[in-house]
Amino acid sequence: MQPAVLPEQRPLDVVILAAGQGTRMKSRLPKMLHPLLGRPLVLWSVRLAQQLGARDVVVVTGHGAQQVEEALHSSGVQFARQDQQLGTGHAFLTAAHRLRGGADVLLLYGDTPMLPLATLQNLLSAHRVGQHALTVLTSELPDASGYGRILRGESGEVLSIVEEKAATPAQKAVREFNSGVYVMDAAAPVLAGRITNHNAAGEYYITDLVSLYQQGGARVAAFKIADPGEVMGANDRVQLSQLETIMRRRVNEAHMRAGVTLQDPATTLIHDEVVIGPDSVIGAGVHLLGQTVLGEGVVIGPYSVVQDSTLEAGSLIHAHSVVQGARVAGGGDIGPFARLRPGTVLEAGVHIGNFVEIKNAHLHAGVKAGHLAYLGDVTVGQQSNIGAGTIIANHNGMDKQHTTIGSGVFVGSNSTIVAPRTLGDASFVAAGSTVTADVPEGAMAVARGQQRTLEGWSRRYWKGFGDRVAVKLPWLAGWLSRQH
Ligand code: UD1
Ligand code: CA
């Protein structure tokens, strides 16, 4: 008999179990929301479902349901509330009502984020090619304590899954364990209604589906993977940190294989959506976070943090800089100890030195701000020079105001430019000025007290302290004694 729909064309629905409490995390935050490489645990499973092309994704929530649902709000998934956690079978049944039917159903846990997409694709294809009714993902451990064990018959066929609590000593010696990931055919949501809680734990076990399928004469099979680490979960914060280490290494190694130098991969944290061009060099302790894109040949010095930023080819960031929400064209250099805040755009060849903070600012090609400055809400034309200690006073206590600095402008050191201000092209601000009026093109503004020089003032001043000078400032006492 010809199936109505080819297996590869059958839709796939995914159910993600995320109602558990995660008591061992000892946290107010639901376990499913603890981040792994910056992304909440449950979102890893949601993303896998989406990468598999799932039609519907139903997340079963319970403990911390509101928080979990909020965190997944924009991800397009549906929710099924499981008010009491009566077991995995009950959790699946809770979601089953949401399924439209006619699809293969993949079951994932919300706290097993390490599964590679390729493993799930292989599981699905084994399930479909083999025309199984249920395929359980398994692996082996020398000691599989705590897991359900896979019991096979003489010819290797899967007979059943026995939970730790119910296992005989001989069954406990079985190394092949149930990962909790299954693909099932469209009958699963209906069969799940026949799961009972007649077992030692008084729980509804999803593993009962194995025998329910077999009673109907359907094929149940196991898909065994070599690396048990792929189905590892995070039960406490120690395990979470272990997963983080493994995941970090996975991401870091992929970048190194693709032509990126990581000078100390053990201390380098790269979120998994970060893109890095070949021949980039990433120093020790660097964090590349969120939606960050690095072009070819980007160099980032040690202990810098780059988040949600684009650094184009040839960008150079020196040590200890923090770059967030910025776009940097290549050919210049930034830091050490620079801070680029959201809305910063640096065109080609811009030089930003130490202790310079930039926010919501567009610096055109060749601008230099070498030392100790704050540039907020400002546009700076090409090749302008911003002296050490320059402050754009952008905030009037109520609102942020915008300043426009033209091209080829020279702003002398320790100037304050009180926004909103316009400095024309090729204008000049004398060092130490507080600029409260616009400066026209080509003009020079000086706004500071006139210098007075009082000859002999110092001698009179120090003499006023009498003998105390000799005790505290012997060099000055000597100098005074040489004055007449
Ligand atoms: C389950 C399997 C076991 C398998 C193990 C793999 C059953 C009966 N046993 O055991 O064979 O080796 O997973 O980790 O299925 N959850 C809910 N609602 C519930 C119960 C659980 O959402 O009512 C969620 C939990 O949040 C968790 C997942 O389901 O993400 C697994 O639950 P857990 O209690 O850890 O299952 P185990 O008893 O460890
Ligand atoms: Ca478990």
Side-chain angles (χ1 to χ4, degrees):
M1 199 181 70
Q2 200 68 22
V5 187
L6 289 173
E8 305 76 48
Q9 293 170 344
R10 269 201 309 265
L12 177 73
D13 288 341
V14 178
V15 172
I16 298 172
L17 304 192
Q21 181 164 22
T23 322
R24 280 173 286 169
M25 297 301 279
K26 305 225 166 86
S27 179
R28 286 181 200 280
L29 189 69
K31 167 172 151 179
M32 300 294 164
L33 296 185
H34 276 258
L36 176 79
L37 228 59
R39 178 185 293 125
L41 283 175
V42 64
L43 258 170
W44 287 87
S45 297
V46 168
R47 209 170 64 114
L48 280 169
Q50 287 164 344
Q51 287 171 331
L52 284 167
R55 179 182 70 175
D56 290 338
V57 179
V58 181
V59 178
V60 179
T61 58
H63 280 284
Q66 217 175 329
Q67 269 173 286
V68 174
E69 290 171 15
E70 251 163 52
L72 294 177
H73 175 70
S74 58
S75 63
V77 304
Q78 303 175 53
F79 301 106
R81 283 261 180 123
Q82 189 196 21
D83 293 321
Q84 275 182 292
Q85 279 68 63
L86 303 178
T88 49
H90 180 260
F92 178 64
L93 192 62
T94 308
H97 304 297
R98 294 260 192 279
L99 299 173
R100 282 184 268 171
D104 289 330
V105 181
L106 172 69
L107 186 85
L108 298 173
Y109 290 166
D111 57 353
T112 48
M114 307 299 282
L115 272 166
L117 180 64
T119 296
L120 289 178
Q121 284 165 333
N122 293 340
L123 167 71
L124 263 172
S125 100
H127 175 81
R128 287 169 169 174
V129 170
Q131 300 192 322
H132 310 151
L134 181 151
T135 311
V136 52
L137 186 70
T138 70
S139 190
E140 282 192 10
L141 280 169
D143 173 8
S145 297
Y147 287 104
R149 309 299 208 288
I150 306 298
L151 305 183
R152 291 179 183 257
E154 276 166 7
S155 51
E157 76 280 14
V158 174
L159 297 177
S160 64
I161 300 172
V162 60
E163 290 305 301
E164 173 90 22
K165 277 181 191 153
T168 64
Q171 290 168 336
K172 282 183 181 163
V174 171
R175 296 149 61 113
E176 189 181 8
F177 68 93
N178 168 23
S179 70
V181 173
Y182 321 81
V183 203
M184 299 162 281
D185 67 14
V190 180
L191 281 181
R194 307 208 330 237
I195 298 173
T196 67
N197 63 352
H198 305 150
N199 53 54
E203 278 183 28
Y204 295 83
Y205 286 169
I206 190 142
T207 45
D208 285 2
L209 280 180
V210 171
S211 52
L212 288 168
Y213 267 117
Q214 280 162 341
Q215 283 158 23
R219 265 172 74 83
V220 171
F223 181 79
K224 188 156 79 176
I225 55 172
D227 178 7
E230 293 184 3
V231 292
M232 222 191 296
N235 287 317
D236 60 24
R237 298 188 203 223
V238 174
Q239 281 176 351
L240 182 63
S241 78
Q242 289 163 347
L243 298 193
E244 176 99 13
T245 302
I246 295 166
M247 191 63 96
R248 192 197 310 177
R249 192 188 305 145
R250 221 191 252 178
V251 171
N252 289 356
E253 286 181 3
H255 286 296
M256 291 189 277
R257 293 220 165 77
V260 176
T261 295
L262 302 187
Q263 291 177 325
D264 185 11
T267 62
T268 305
L269 171 63
I270 304 176
H271 282 175
D272 73 317
E273 280 171 40
V274 171
V275 177
I276 311 179
D279 280 329
S280 291
V281 178
I282 312 298
V286 167
H287 291 193
L288 303 178
L289 311 176
Q291 309 288 317
T292 288
V293 179
L294 273 50
E296 212 174 311
V298 170
V299 176
I300 305 200
Y303 308 105
S304 288
V305 177
V306 182
Q307 182 175 12
D308 299 324
S309 295
T310 299
L311 310 182
E312 290 172 16
S315 295
L316 169 59
I317 313 283
H318 297 289
H320 296 283
S321 296
V322 177
V323 177
Q324 289 172 304
R327 189 168 70 70
V328 177
D333 70 315
I334 290 156
F337 298 100
R339 180 166 184 216
L340 307 188
R341 291 171 51 201
T344 295
V345 177
L346 307 183
E347 301 292 355
V350 168
H351 165 71
I352 301 298
N354 45 205
F355 306 109
V356 174
E357 175 181 349
I358 305 185
K359 183 217 76 170
N360 190 31
H362 192 151
L363 276 50
H364 287 272
V367 167
K368 291 187 166 68
H371 336 261
L372 302 151
Y374 173 62
L375 306 177
D377 301 296
V378 64
T379 306
V380 184
Q382 57 180 302
Q383 292 166 38
S384 288
N385 191 312
I386 308 294
T390 295
I391 303 290
I392 309 283
N394 60 326
H395 189 217
N396 62 13
M398 198 58 79
D399 302 305
K400 302 289 165 56
Q401 315 258 21
H402 190 86
T403 289
T404 304
I405 297 177
S407 298
V409 173
F410 184 93
V411 178
S413 295
N414 200 29
S415 294
T416 302
I417 302 188
V418 181
R421 219 60 316 128
T422 299
L423 309 188
D425 288 344
S427 62
F428 199 103
V429 173
S433 292
T434 298
V435 178
T436 53
D438 290 352
V439 183
E441 179 173 349
M444 196 277 264
V446 54
R448 64 186 182 216
Q450 194 75 40
Q451 181 168 331
R452 287 195 300 152
T453 306
L454 306 180
E455 290 291 346
W457 182 91
S458 188
R459 190 176 64 91
R460 292 191 296 279
Y461 178 73
W462 289 117
K463 287 246 152 136
F465 289 99
D467 293 345
R468 292 173 61 206
V469 178
V471 177
K472 209 165 183 182
L473 301 165
W475 184 90
L476 259 182
W479 177 83
L480 280 174
S481 72
R482 292 193 297 276
Q483 308 298 309
H484 343 270

